[in-house]
Amino acid sequence: IIVLEPMSGEIWPNSSTTITVMFKPEAAQNYTRMAYCDITGRETRLPLKIVGDGLGPKAIFSCDSIDIGNVFIGSRHSYEVILENKGDIPIDFNLIQPESIFGP
């Protein structure tokens, strides 16, 4: 979920280095992790708290319900709804057909 690079190195006096923190969430949830840096000659580890939110896809239908009303037996009426991706990541979807008149 979290990768730090480089994992080790040497920093000269009055210098600095850049540590890259990569975050790849696996679920839509909050993440909190602690990383520690052992420094030669220091009694305690140097902590780094890493906090991130995994964001899931944002999909919406163009309407919440469809009232089909009265349809003659044997006739067919078609209606369209739009499934829209309002998020920043791709969406994979599978529609589940109703199995009975009483629900999914």
Side-chain angles (χ1 to χ4, degrees):
I1 297 171
I2 295 175
V3 177
L4 303 172
E5 290 182 351
M7 291 295 294
S8 63
E10 182 178 6
I11 305 171
W12 290 91
N14 298 311
S15 299
S16 64
T17 191
T18 300
I19 306 296
T20 302
V21 179
M22 290 175 276
F23 176 54
K24 185 178 179 185
E26 296 174 348
Q29 66 183 38
N30 299 328
Y31 291 86
T32 300
R33 300 291 189 269
M34 290 299 295
Y36 296 93
C37 184
D38 283 323
I39 298 174
T40 304
R42 184 179 164 119
E43 194 172 301
T44 59
R45 300 181 297 179
L46 188 61
L48 175 64
K49 184 177 182 179
I50 303 168
V51 178
D53 293 324
L55 301 176
K58 295 178 183 174
I60 61 166
F61 277 116
S62 56
C63 59
D64 292 330
S65 65
I66 300 173
D67 184 358
I68 295 175
N70 298 323
V71 178
F72 289 109
I73 295 173
S75 66
R76 178 184 298 189
H77 289 231
S78 295
Y79 302 87
E80 291 183 1
V81 294
I82 297 170
L83 178 60
E84 188 173 356
N85 182 352
K86 294 281 196 175
D88 298 323
I89 60 175
I91 293 175
D92 294 324
F93 73 93
N94 292 304
L95 293 176
I96 300 169
Q97 297 283 352
E99 295 180 12
S100 72
I101 61 172
F102 301 109

XYZ file of all heavy atoms in Angstrom:
805
model
N 0.830 -1.187 0.000
C 0.000 0.000 0.000
C 0.876 1.253 0.000
O 0.598 2.191 -0.715
C -0.953 -0.010 1.216
C -1.897 -1.192 1.109
C -1.727 1.288 1.302
C -2.733 -1.423 2.337
N 1.926 1.253 0.811
C 2.832 2.399 0.883
C 4.265 1.920 0.659
O 4.698 0.954 1.282
C 2.706 3.127 2.238
C 1.314 3.734 2.352
C 3.781 4.202 2.381
C 1.006 4.366 3.676
N 4.958 2.603 -0.226
C 6.355 2.275 -0.519
C 7.182 3.548 -0.383
O 6.782 4.602 -0.879
C 6.502 1.706 -1.954
C 7.955 1.443 -2.285
C 5.671 0.443 -2.117
N 8.308 3.435 0.302
C 9.234 4.555 0.471
C 10.500 4.257 -0.321
O 11.026 3.149 -0.254
C 9.585 4.747 1.946
C 8.424 4.979 2.905
C 8.908 4.965 4.334
C 7.726 6.276 2.593
N 10.992 5.259 -1.036
C 12.235 5.105 -1.798
C 13.045 6.380 -1.712
O 12.470 7.466 -1.810
C 11.937 4.792 -3.266
C 11.376 3.421 -3.488
C 11.135 3.129 -4.964
O 11.246 4.057 -5.793
O 10.832 1.980 -5.276
N 14.349 6.312 -1.554
C 15.153 5.111 -1.310
C 14.995 4.642 0.131
O 14.626 5.427 1.008
C 16.578 5.587 -1.578
C 16.561 7.043 -1.241
C 15.168 7.519 -1.595
N 15.286 3.391 0.370
C 15.141 2.817 1.701
C 16.325 3.153 2.610
O 16.211 3.059 3.827
C 14.979 1.300 1.611
C 13.655 0.874 0.995
S 12.248 1.334 2.006
C 12.502 0.331 3.440
N 17.444 3.509 2.017
C 18.615 3.858 2.819
C 19.516 4.773 2.001
O 19.327 4.932 0.795
C 19.374 2.602 3.252
O 19.857 1.917 2.104
N 20.488 5.355 2.675
C 21.412 6.234 1.983
C 22.275 6.994 2.967
O 22.250 6.738 4.175
N 22.996 7.959 2.448
C 23.874 8.787 3.265
C 23.622 10.244 2.898
O 23.475 10.583 1.720
C 25.345 8.430 3.002
C 26.312 9.206 3.839
C 27.762 8.781 3.587
O 28.015 7.973 2.679
O 28.634 9.286 4.319
N 23.540 11.094 3.916
C 23.324 12.523 3.699
C 24.502 13.267 4.326
O 24.763 13.128 5.523
C 21.995 12.993 4.324
C 20.833 12.164 3.801
C 21.770 14.479 4.021
C 19.527 12.432 4.528
N 25.170 14.054 3.532
C 26.316 14.819 4.010
C 25.836 15.959 4.895
O 24.681 16.378 4.821
C 27.112 15.353 2.819
C 27.821 14.252 2.087
C 27.347 13.526 1.043
C 29.102 13.734 2.387
N 28.247 12.582 0.660
C 29.352 12.683 1.465
C 30.087 14.034 3.337
C 30.535 11.954 1.469
C 31.264 13.303 3.332
C 31.472 12.273 2.411
N 26.720 16.511 5.759
C 26.343 17.639 6.623
C 25.782 18.814 5.811
O 26.238 19.077 4.701
C 27.659 18.022 7.314
C 28.491 16.777 7.270
C 28.115 16.089 5.986
N 24.784 19.476 6.379
C 24.125 20.632 5.765
C 23.553 20.319 4.388
O 23.547 21.163 3.495
C 25.090 21.830 5.681
C 25.532 22.259 7.062
O 24.706 22.435 7.952
N 26.830 22.402 7.250
N 23.101 19.088 4.204
C 22.505 18.649 2.942
C 21.164 17.997 3.229
O 20.754 17.844 4.382
C 23.421 17.643 2.233
O 24.656 18.230 1.928
N 20.498 17.596 2.192
C 19.214 16.901 2.346
C 19.052 15.890 1.233
O 19.833 15.864 0.274
C 18.055 17.908 2.321
O 17.994 18.554 1.065
N 18.049 15.069 1.360
C 17.700 14.121 0.307
C 16.179 14.048 0.218
O 15.473 14.357 1.188
C 18.311 12.723 0.563
O 18.153 11.932 -0.614
C 17.636 12.021 1.719
N 15.682 13.658 -0.913
C 14.243 13.521 -1.122
C 13.847 12.069 -0.969
O 14.453 11.180 -1.584
C 13.849 14.025 -2.528
O 14.202 15.398 -2.638
C 12.360 13.868 -2.762
N 12.861 11.828 -0.142
C 12.285 10.499 0.022
C 10.943 10.501 -0.703
O 10.098 11.362 -0.453
C 12.069 10.146 1.508
C 13.351 10.312 2.315
C 11.475 8.753 1.656
C 14.464 9.384 1.932
N 10.746 9.578 -1.610
C 9.489 9.467 -2.344
C 8.560 8.524 -1.599
O 8.941 7.400 -1.260
C 9.737 8.946 -3.771
O 10.632 9.838 -4.433
C 8.448 8.860 -4.559
N 7.342 8.979 -1.334
C 6.311 8.166 -0.681
C 5.268 7.837 -1.740
O 4.611 8.727 -2.272
C 5.656 8.927 0.491
C 4.575 8.071 1.144
C 6.700 9.353 1.505
N 5.142 6.550 -2.066
C 4.144 6.110 -3.055
C 2.986 5.457 -2.314
O 3.200 4.595 -1.458
C 4.779 5.143 -4.044
C 5.761 5.830 -4.970
S 6.630 4.691 -6.042
C 7.953 4.174 -4.953
N 1.788 5.858 -2.655
C 0.573 5.369 -1.998
C -0.329 4.756 -3.055
O -0.726 5.423 -4.005
C -0.116 6.542 -1.302
C -1.435 6.215 -0.646
C -1.541 5.191 0.271
C -2.568 6.952 -0.935
C -2.745 4.907 0.887
C -3.774 6.687 -0.326
C -3.864 5.654 0.589
N -0.620 3.466 -2.899
C -1.492 2.753 -3.830
C -2.567 2.038 -3.003
O -2.402 0.880 -2.606
C -0.698 1.758 -4.663
C -1.535 1.071 -5.722
C -0.702 0.119 -6.559
C -1.574 -0.560 -7.592
N -0.822 -1.568 -8.344
N -3.688 2.729 -2.730
C -4.721 2.124 -1.887
C -5.381 0.926 -2.576
O -5.496 0.893 -3.801
C -5.715 3.262 -1.676
C -5.499 4.189 -2.813
C -4.062 4.059 -3.204
N -5.786 -0.041 -1.762
C -6.431 -1.245 -2.272
C -7.938 -1.224 -2.082
O -8.642 -2.076 -2.594
C -5.832 -2.479 -1.592
C -4.356 -2.665 -1.911
C -3.736 -3.805 -1.128
O -4.366 -4.311 -0.183
O -2.607 -4.181 -1.484
N -8.432 -0.251 -1.313
C -9.869 -0.158 -1.042
C -10.227 1.298 -0.760
O -9.358 2.111 -0.464
C -10.240 -1.036 0.158
N -11.515 1.586 -0.844
C -12.006 2.933 -0.535
C -12.127 3.053 0.980
O -13.148 2.719 1.573
C -13.341 3.175 -1.220
N -11.048 3.479 1.610
C -11.014 3.613 3.063
C -9.896 4.560 3.461
O -9.096 4.963 2.628
C -10.803 2.250 3.726
C -9.446 1.629 3.431
C -9.293 0.257 4.036
O -10.233 -0.526 4.056
N -8.117 -0.046 4.536
N -9.859 4.893 4.738
C -8.788 5.732 5.285
C -7.610 4.843 5.672
O -7.801 3.752 6.222
C -9.275 6.490 6.522
C -10.422 7.417 6.206
O -10.497 7.953 5.116
N -11.311 7.619 7.151
N -6.427 5.315 5.411
C -5.211 4.590 5.756
C -4.339 5.476 6.643
O -4.161 6.659 6.360
C -4.407 4.233 4.502
C -5.060 3.208 3.616
C -5.982 3.587 2.648
C -4.753 1.867 3.734
C -6.582 2.658 1.820
C -5.339 0.917 2.915
C -6.253 1.320 1.958
O -6.841 0.386 1.148
N -3.793 4.892 7.689
C -2.804 5.558 8.535
C -1.691 4.550 8.799
O -1.957 3.443 9.274
C -3.421 6.020 9.865
O -4.482 6.924 9.588
C -2.382 6.717 10.730
N -0.490 4.929 8.463
C 0.667 4.057 8.674
C 1.785 4.878 9.303
O 1.875 6.083 9.109
C 1.159 3.452 7.357
C 0.152 2.601 6.614
C -0.130 1.300 7.347
N -0.931 0.390 6.558
C -2.255 0.332 6.568
N -2.926 1.171 7.328
N -2.914 -0.529 5.845
N 2.654 4.204 10.020
C 3.836 4.837 10.592
C 5.073 4.244 9.924
O 5.192 3.026 9.808
C 3.904 4.596 12.100
C 2.862 5.336 12.910
S 2.948 7.134 12.798
C 4.522 7.476 13.560
N 5.945 5.124 9.481
C 7.253 4.721 8.977
C 8.283 5.246 9.969
O 8.056 6.267 10.635
C 7.493 5.304 7.594
N 9.384 4.550 10.080
C 10.431 4.955 11.012
C 11.768 4.953 10.293
O 12.016 4.138 9.410
C 10.486 4.003 12.215
C 9.231 4.029 13.042
C 8.203 3.116 12.807
C 9.062 4.979 14.048
C 7.039 3.159 13.565
C 7.901 5.015 14.806
C 6.893 4.098 14.556
O 5.749 4.139 15.301
N 12.617 5.867 10.702
C 13.955 5.956 10.133
C 14.971 5.758 11.258
O 15.010 6.541 12.213
C 14.137 7.323 9.469
S 15.714 7.498 8.635
N 15.758 4.705 11.142
C 16.858 4.479 12.074
C 18.044 5.316 11.604
O 18.456 5.225 10.441
C 17.262 2.999 12.103
C 16.293 2.152 12.899
O 15.780 2.639 13.925
O 16.040 0.996 12.490
N 18.561 6.133 12.495
C 19.691 6.993 12.155
C 20.859 6.624 13.065
O 20.712 6.617 14.294
C 19.313 8.482 12.319
C 18.171 8.821 11.350
C 20.529 9.378 12.113
C 17.610 10.208 11.511
N 21.984 6.316 12.462
C 23.168 5.938 13.214
C 23.549 7.058 14.177
O 23.642 8.219 13.785
C 24.342 5.658 12.259
O 23.949 4.650 11.320
C 25.570 5.184 13.019
N 23.708 6.703 15.456
C 24.088 7.664 16.478
C 22.910 8.320 17.174
O 23.093 9.035 18.152
N 21.712 8.089 16.698
C 20.522 8.654 17.340
C 19.889 7.564 18.209
O 19.772 6.416 17.799
C 19.530 9.146 16.281
C 18.314 9.828 16.870
C 17.390 10.309 15.748
N 16.081 10.619 16.294
C 15.532 11.806 16.245
N 16.170 12.810 15.683
N 14.335 12.005 16.750
N 19.466 7.939 19.391
C 18.942 6.970 20.345
C 17.579 6.411 19.932
O 17.294 5.238 20.119
C 18.840 7.621 21.730
C 18.626 6.617 22.845
C 18.738 7.290 24.199
O 19.797 7.873 24.493
O 17.762 7.215 24.954
N 16.701 7.270 19.384
C 15.358 6.815 19.001
C 15.153 6.974 17.498
O 15.804 7.795 16.836
C 14.266 7.624 19.733
O 14.421 9.006 19.408
C 14.366 7.441 21.234
N 14.249 6.171 16.983
C 13.925 6.251 15.557
C 13.164 7.539 15.259
O 12.415 8.046 16.091
C 13.056 5.062 15.137
C 13.725 3.717 15.356
C 12.844 2.578 14.913
N 11.614 2.541 15.723
C 10.645 1.666 15.568
N 10.727 0.747 14.641
N 9.585 1.705 16.335
N 13.317 8.059 14.070
C 12.621 9.260 13.622
C 11.305 8.822 12.972
O 11.317 8.107 11.967
C 13.502 10.005 12.621
C 13.076 11.384 12.160
C 13.005 12.350 13.345
C 14.052 11.905 11.120
N 10.142 9.218 13.542
C 8.861 8.741 13.003
C 8.342 9.622 11.868
O 8.620 10.816 11.798
C 7.931 8.832 14.212
C 8.473 9.962 15.011
C 9.973 9.931 14.798
N 7.584 9.002 10.978
C 6.873 9.709 9.917
C 5.479 9.091 9.809
O 5.334 7.925 9.449
C 7.594 9.588 8.571
C 6.875 10.184 7.362
C 6.728 11.705 7.526
C 7.596 9.843 6.076
N 4.456 9.882 10.163
C 3.076 9.411 10.069
C 2.583 9.679 8.651
O 2.689 10.792 8.141
C 2.197 10.137 11.086
C 0.775 9.653 11.123
C -0.007 10.372 12.215
C -1.432 9.873 12.306
N -2.164 10.556 13.386
N 2.026 8.655 8.023
C 1.527 8.759 6.650
C 0.024 8.498 6.680
O -0.423 7.448 7.147
C 2.229 7.755 5.724
C 3.746 7.979 5.768
C 1.698 7.855 4.304
C 4.552 6.885 5.128
N -0.749 9.457 6.193
C -2.203 9.365 6.196
C -2.696 9.572 4.769
O -2.253 10.485 4.073
C -2.827 10.436 7.124
C -4.338 10.369 7.096
C -2.309 10.275 8.540
N -3.609 8.716 4.324
C -4.175 8.857 2.980
C -5.558 8.255 2.914
O -5.934 7.427 3.746
N -6.319 8.692 1.936
C -7.669 8.168 1.715
C -7.719 7.483 0.361
O -7.354 8.081 -0.657
C -8.710 9.298 1.723
C -8.848 9.943 3.088
O -8.750 9.221 4.091
O -9.059 11.159 3.145
N -8.168 6.236 0.358
C -8.433 5.541 -0.892
C -9.826 5.932 -1.366
O -10.786 5.818 -0.611
N -9.919 6.445 -2.577
C -11.204 6.879 -3.113
C -11.697 5.876 -4.144
O -10.959 5.510 -5.056
C -11.072 8.263 -3.767
C -10.585 9.390 -2.869
C -10.419 10.673 -3.680
C -11.549 9.615 -1.721
N -12.933 5.454 -3.995
C -13.524 4.524 -4.936
C -14.109 5.242 -6.135
O -14.088 6.464 -6.228
N -14.650 4.482 -7.067
C -15.260 5.082 -8.244
C -16.526 5.849 -7.880
O -17.165 5.573 -6.875
C -15.586 3.889 -9.138
C -15.615 2.715 -8.228
C -14.712 3.029 -7.085
N -16.876 6.817 -8.718
C -18.068 7.626 -8.494
C -18.982 7.470 -9.705
O -18.809 8.139 -10.718
C -17.699 9.093 -8.290
C -16.893 9.333 -7.038
C -16.519 10.789 -6.897
C -15.653 10.989 -5.659
N -15.154 12.347 -5.569
N -19.925 6.556 -9.586
C -20.867 6.299 -10.677
C -22.267 6.720 -10.258
O -22.642 6.572 -9.097
C -20.863 4.819 -11.037
N -23.014 7.255 -11.208
C -24.412 7.600 -10.946
C -25.258 7.236 -12.159
O -24.787 7.257 -13.297
C -24.591 9.105 -10.625
C -24.149 9.970 -11.795
C -23.860 9.493 -9.364
C -24.612 11.409 -11.691
N -26.516 6.859 -11.884
C -27.498 6.702 -12.949
C -28.142 8.056 -13.198
O -28.226 8.902 -12.301
C -28.586 5.696 -12.553
C -28.201 4.260 -12.785
C -28.082 3.382 -11.723
C -27.975 3.790 -14.066
C -27.740 2.060 -11.930
C -27.625 2.467 -14.288
C -27.521 1.598 -13.216
N -28.647 8.253 -14.393
C -29.284 9.524 -14.736
C -30.601 9.725 -13.994
O -31.108 10.845 -13.932
C -29.512 9.604 -16.244
O -30.268 8.495 -16.693
N -31.148 8.669 -13.418
C -32.353 8.781 -12.596
C -32.323 7.689 -11.531
O -31.621 6.692 -11.679
C -33.621 8.678 -13.449
S -33.766 7.144 -14.369
N -33.097 7.889 -10.457
C -33.123 6.914 -9.365
C -34.101 5.782 -9.609
O -33.944 4.682 -9.085
C -33.482 7.602 -8.042
C -32.387 8.547 -7.577
O -31.208 8.286 -7.886
O -32.711 9.535 -6.914
N -35.163 6.053 -10.367
C -36.163 5.025 -10.637
C -36.837 5.290 -11.978
O -36.797 6.410 -12.497
C -37.216 4.987 -9.521
O -37.948 6.196 -9.505
N -37.451 4.249 -12.517
C -38.206 4.354 -13.761
C -39.609 3.837 -13.492
O -39.778 2.689 -13.075
C -37.565 3.519 -14.891
C -36.145 3.997 -15.151
C -38.402 3.590 -16.155
C -35.398 3.120 -16.132
N -40.606 4.669 -13.715
C -42.004 4.253 -13.580
C -42.507 3.896 -14.967
O -42.845 4.765 -15.768
C -42.834 5.380 -12.968
C -44.276 4.959 -12.720
O -44.644 3.802 -13.056
O -45.042 5.787 -12.201
N -42.531 2.604 -15.258
C -42.915 2.130 -16.590
C -44.415 2.285 -16.819
O -44.857 2.522 -17.928
C -42.452 0.669 -16.795
C -40.923 0.639 -16.791
C -43.024 0.096 -18.078
C -40.324 -0.732 -16.866
N -45.180 2.202 -15.773
C -46.629 2.379 -15.919
C -47.298 1.154 -16.527
O -46.842 0.033 -16.367
N -48.393 1.375 -17.254
C -49.171 0.287 -17.850
C -48.637 -0.059 -19.230
O -48.462 0.821 -20.076
C -50.641 0.695 -17.973
C -51.256 0.978 -16.618
O -50.945 0.300 -15.647
N -52.113 1.980 -16.552
N -48.395 -1.351 -19.447
C -47.929 -1.836 -20.746
C -48.799 -3.035 -21.125
O -48.990 -3.950 -20.326
C -46.436 -2.247 -20.689
C -45.968 -2.784 -22.024
C -45.571 -1.074 -20.243
N -49.324 -3.028 -22.339
C -50.154 -4.148 -22.796
C -49.341 -5.427 -22.877
O -48.162 -5.406 -23.266
C -50.769 -3.850 -24.173
C -51.840 -2.797 -24.128
C -51.625 -1.542 -24.669
C -53.071 -3.075 -23.537
C -52.610 -0.578 -24.622
C -54.068 -2.114 -23.484
C -53.837 -0.851 -24.029
N -49.955 -6.525 -22.514
C -49.313 -7.837 -22.590
C -48.849 -8.079 -24.022
O -49.595 -7.857 -24.971
C -50.285 -8.961 -22.135
C -50.620 -8.770 -20.663
C -49.684 -10.336 -22.397
C -51.688 -9.717 -20.157
N -47.639 -8.551 -24.170
C -47.081 -8.855 -25.482
C -46.420 -7.669 -26.163
O -45.732 -7.839 -27.165
N -46.625 -6.472 -25.665
C -45.965 -5.311 -26.275
C -44.655 -5.038 -25.540
O -44.438 -5.517 -24.433
C -46.881 -4.087 -26.249
O -47.121 -3.676 -24.930
N -43.811 -4.268 -26.182
C -42.503 -3.988 -25.598
C -42.268 -2.486 -25.600
O -42.470 -1.823 -26.605
C -41.408 -4.665 -26.401
C -40.023 -4.372 -25.874
C -38.946 -4.951 -26.720
N -39.076 -6.404 -26.722
C -38.185 -7.238 -27.224
N -37.109 -6.764 -27.793
N -38.370 -8.535 -27.190
N -41.851 -1.977 -24.465
C -41.472 -0.575 -24.342
C -40.011 -0.531 -23.910
O -39.580 -1.327 -23.084
C -42.336 0.134 -23.299
C -43.742 0.347 -23.728
N -44.350 1.560 -23.650
C -44.666 -0.496 -24.265
C -45.587 1.473 -24.092
N -45.805 0.225 -24.467
N -39.261 0.381 -24.473
C -37.843 0.527 -24.120
C -37.615 1.888 -23.472
O -38.195 2.886 -23.883
C -36.962 0.425 -25.373
O -37.046 -0.861 -25.928
N -36.742 1.883 -22.491
C -36.378 3.103 -21.782
C -34.869 3.125 -21.655
O -34.225 2.083 -21.566
C -37.030 3.149 -20.395
C -38.528 3.058 -20.459
C -39.171 1.835 -20.485
C -39.296 4.220 -20.516
C -40.550 1.759 -20.565
C -40.679 4.149 -20.599
C -41.295 2.920 -20.625
O -42.654 2.848 -20.708
N -34.316 4.295 -21.639
C -32.867 4.417 -21.505
C -32.509 5.190 -20.244
O -33.165 6.178 -19.909
C -32.274 5.157 -22.711
C -32.342 4.369 -23.986
C -31.686 5.089 -25.157
O -31.158 6.218 -24.952
O -31.690 4.530 -26.247
N -31.494 4.702 -19.569
C -30.885 5.438 -18.466
C -29.400 5.538 -18.785
O -28.852 4.717 -19.516
C -31.098 4.762 -17.091
C -32.557 4.768 -16.711
C -30.534 3.368 -17.069
N -28.772 6.519 -18.252
C -27.349 6.729 -18.494
C -26.593 6.430 -17.209
O -26.962 6.912 -16.137
C -27.084 8.175 -18.951
C -27.785 8.418 -20.289
C -25.590 8.452 -19.049
C -27.797 9.871 -20.711
N -25.558 5.614 -17.319
C -24.641 5.350 -16.216
C -23.409 6.193 -16.488
O -22.740 6.034 -17.509
C -24.279 3.866 -16.142
C -23.286 3.456 -15.066
C -23.814 3.797 -13.677
C -22.978 1.969 -15.172
N -23.120 7.120 -15.574
C -22.053 8.088 -15.808
C -20.949 7.940 -14.767
O -21.216 7.758 -13.585
C -22.625 9.503 -15.756
C -21.654 10.562 -16.179
C -22.307 11.928 -16.280
O -23.524 12.055 -16.090
O -21.561 12.888 -16.551
N -19.719 8.021 -15.236
C -18.544 7.995 -14.366
C -18.187 9.431 -14.021
O -17.682 10.178 -14.847
C -17.385 7.304 -15.077
C -16.154 7.195 -14.200
O -16.102 7.751 -13.115
N -15.165 6.474 -14.674
N -18.442 9.845 -12.782
C -18.148 11.195 -12.319
C -16.801 11.272 -11.603
O -16.444 12.309 -11.072
C -19.241 11.683 -11.354
C -20.581 11.870 -11.996
C -20.604 13.169 -12.748
C -22.027 13.564 -13.073
N -22.095 14.876 -13.694
N -16.061 10.169 -11.591
C -14.809 10.124 -10.849
C -13.589 10.262 -11.728
O -13.671 10.572 -12.917
N -12.453 10.008 -11.117
C -11.162 10.156 -11.779
C -10.508 8.830 -12.140
O -9.375 8.811 -12.619
C -10.206 10.945 -10.871
C -10.710 12.356 -10.597
O -11.278 12.959 -11.525
O -10.536 12.836 -9.464
N -11.200 7.718 -11.868
C -10.649 6.403 -12.185
C -11.669 5.635 -13.011
O -12.868 5.920 -12.960
C -10.279 5.614 -10.903
C -11.502 5.409 -10.012
C -9.151 6.313 -10.154
C -11.245 4.538 -8.800
N -11.227 4.652 -13.796
C -12.163 3.868 -14.603
C -13.124 3.059 -13.726
O -12.813 2.718 -12.589
C -11.268 2.921 -15.400
C -9.894 3.462 -15.278
C -9.846 4.259 -14.017
N -14.273 2.756 -14.278
C -15.286 1.955 -13.579
C -15.543 0.691 -14.382
O -15.776 0.751 -15.582
C -16.602 2.741 -13.435
C -16.418 3.920 -12.492
C -17.730 1.832 -12.956
C -17.640 4.808 -12.396
N -15.487 -0.452 -13.718
C -15.947 -1.714 -14.286
C -17.313 -1.978 -13.682
O -17.486 -1.860 -12.465
C -14.998 -2.866 -13.929
C -13.625 -2.700 -14.565
O -13.561 -2.199 -15.700
O -12.636 -3.065 -13.924
N -18.295 -2.316 -14.501
C -19.631 -2.540 -13.957
C -20.249 -3.810 -14.529
O -19.886 -4.261 -15.617
C -20.551 -1.330 -14.221
C -20.979 -1.190 -15.650
C -22.174 -1.754 -16.088
C -20.208 -0.482 -16.553
C -22.568 -1.620 -17.401
C -20.588 -0.353 -17.861
C -21.779 -0.925 -18.291
N -21.156 -4.388 -13.765
C -21.970 -5.534 -14.166
C -23.387 -5.261 -13.704
O -23.612 -5.047 -12.508
C -21.468 -6.838 -13.515
C -20.121 -7.252 -14.040
O -19.946 -7.410 -15.238
N -19.163 -7.408 -13.148
N -24.334 -5.262 -14.626
C -25.729 -5.087 -14.254
C -26.305 -6.426 -13.821
O -25.980 -7.461 -14.390
C -26.532 -4.526 -15.430
C -26.169 -3.103 -15.847
C -26.952 -2.702 -17.082
C -26.448 -2.129 -14.713
N -27.148 -6.402 -12.815
C -27.782 -7.612 -12.300
C -29.248 -7.542 -12.659
O -29.978 -6.627 -12.240
C -27.597 -7.719 -10.773
C -26.101 -7.758 -10.446
C -28.325 -8.932 -10.228
C -25.791 -7.601 -8.982
N -29.690 -8.481 -13.505
C -31.075 -8.522 -13.937
C -31.980 -8.888 -12.763
O -31.629 -9.730 -11.926
C -31.260 -9.589 -15.035
C -30.498 -9.327 -16.299
C -31.176 -8.262 -17.158
O -32.276 -7.824 -16.904
N -30.463 -7.838 -18.196
N -33.185 -8.265 -12.684
C -34.130 -8.680 -11.651
C -34.546 -10.142 -11.892
O -34.815 -10.525 -13.037
C -35.327 -7.754 -11.855
C -34.863 -6.676 -12.776
C -33.675 -7.178 -13.506
N -34.555 -10.929 -10.827
C -34.914 -12.335 -10.959
C -36.375 -12.602 -10.690
O -36.906 -13.637 -11.058
C -34.041 -13.170 -10.030
C -32.563 -13.132 -10.412
C -31.697 -13.956 -9.483
O -32.250 -14.734 -8.684
O -30.472 -13.815 -9.570
N -37.049 -11.695 -9.987
C -38.459 -11.882 -9.704
C -39.133 -10.525 -9.629
O -38.475 -9.483 -9.636
C -38.654 -12.626 -8.372
O -38.342 -11.773 -7.294
N -40.441 -10.509 -9.524
C -41.167 -9.249 -9.410
C -41.046 -8.652 -8.026
O -41.463 -7.534 -7.789
C -42.658 -9.428 -9.794
C -43.326 -10.426 -8.845
C -42.793 -9.849 -11.224
C -44.831 -10.519 -9.022
N -40.441 -9.395 -7.094
C -40.362 -8.965 -5.700
C -39.022 -8.341 -5.329
O -38.802 -7.970 -4.210
C -40.672 -10.120 -4.758
C -42.027 -10.700 -4.996
C -42.161 -11.961 -5.581
C -43.184 -9.993 -4.671
C -43.422 -12.478 -5.804
C -44.432 -10.520 -4.896
C -44.551 -11.762 -5.474
N -38.083 -8.256 -6.269
C -36.789 -7.662 -5.956
C -35.647 -8.419 -6.602
O -35.873 -9.360 -7.359
N -34.424 -8.029 -6.291
C -33.251 -8.647 -6.946
C -33.037 -10.090 -6.562
O -33.504 -10.593 -5.620
C -32.087 -7.789 -6.468
C -32.596 -6.871 -5.433
C -34.070 -6.968 -5.394
